[in-house]
């Protein structure tokens, strides 16, 4: 094998390793302010978001009114979505805080349970969701990252995959209004 080919192969492998690396919750353990879902998602909130296809093309915009409350380690988050094409939908989350930084959630269109964990100002939340696409029901996996900006604002970036391939992305901004 020639030296030039080996250098090329090493460069390609290094590029693949960096391109395939994903963030870890540990990357955020020292960030502040610290995110506690039961504190941020408590009261009335509003979210503004966009849905992108796998190439990053804008598909839809939406607004969601959110009403959240907690009783001890049990929380309920009600979300009312209104999309720019007129579609409206509702999701009601039932959440349980398990330990200092672990959360488990269920909702009507979530397949099984959602599992989330916080570190510093970040949350990684993962679950399967049943969605409607062109009149067909489709199950996708959501890798959901939330980042607390300050006590009233949070940013959310969600990657949707099917069979391990990216099929879309959701980006939203959530703000406490009460």
């Amino acid at each position: 094998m020639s030296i030039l080919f080996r250098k090329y192969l090493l460069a390609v492998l290094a590029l693949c390793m960096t391109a395939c690396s994903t963030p870890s919750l540990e990357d955020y353990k020292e960030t502040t302010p610290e995110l506690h879902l039961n504190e941020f998602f408590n009261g009335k909130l509003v979210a503004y978001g966009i849905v992108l296809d796998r190439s990053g093309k804008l598909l839809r915009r939406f607004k969601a009114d959110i009403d959240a409350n907690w009783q001890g380690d049990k929380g309920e988050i009600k979300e009312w979505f209104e999309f720019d094409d007129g579609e409206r939908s509702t999701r009601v989350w039932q959440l349980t805080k398990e330990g200092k930084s672990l959360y488990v959630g269920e909702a009507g269109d979530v397949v099984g349970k959602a599992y989330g964990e916080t570190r510093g100002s970040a949350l990684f939340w993962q679950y399967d969701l049943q969605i409607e696409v062109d009149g067909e029901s489709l199950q996708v996996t959501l890798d959901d990252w939330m980042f607390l900006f300050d006590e009233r604002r949070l940013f959310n970036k969600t990657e949707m995959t099917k069979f391990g391939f990216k099929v879309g992305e959701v980006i939203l901004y959530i703000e406490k209004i009460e």
Side-chain angles (χ1 to χ4, degrees), residues 40-41 45-47 66 152-154 172-176:
F40 182 80
F41 287 98
L45 303 99
V46 64
I66 302 168
R152 296 179 41 86
R153 296 170 193 88
L154 180 138
L172 59 121
Y173 165 78
I174 304 172
E175 185 170 25
K176 292 182 88 145

Side-chain angles (χ1 to χ4, degrees), residues 37-45 65-70 75-80 93 95:
L37 289 188
N38 54 317
E39 292 174 11
F40 182 80
F41 287 98
N42 202 11
K44 299 217 180 280
L45 303 99
D65 292 312
I66 302 168
D67 188 12
N69 64 71
W70 288 79
E76 181 177 72
I77 300 175
K78 298 176 185 174
E79 304 170 312
W80 293 274
W93 285 98
L95 301 179

Side-chain angles (χ1 to χ4, degrees), residues 38-73:
N38 54 317
E39 292 174 11
F40 182 80
F41 287 98
N42 202 11
K44 299 217 180 280
L45 303 99
V46 64
Y48 300 94
I50 56 174
V51 181
L52 308 168
D53 71 9
R54 68 176 172 254
S55 68
K57 179 183 172 192
L58 178 66
L59 297 175
R60 305 172 87 183
R61 294 177 201 139
F62 65 89
K63 177 186 176 217
D65 292 312
I66 302 168
D67 188 12
N69 64 71
W70 288 79
Q71 300 295 320
D73 289 338

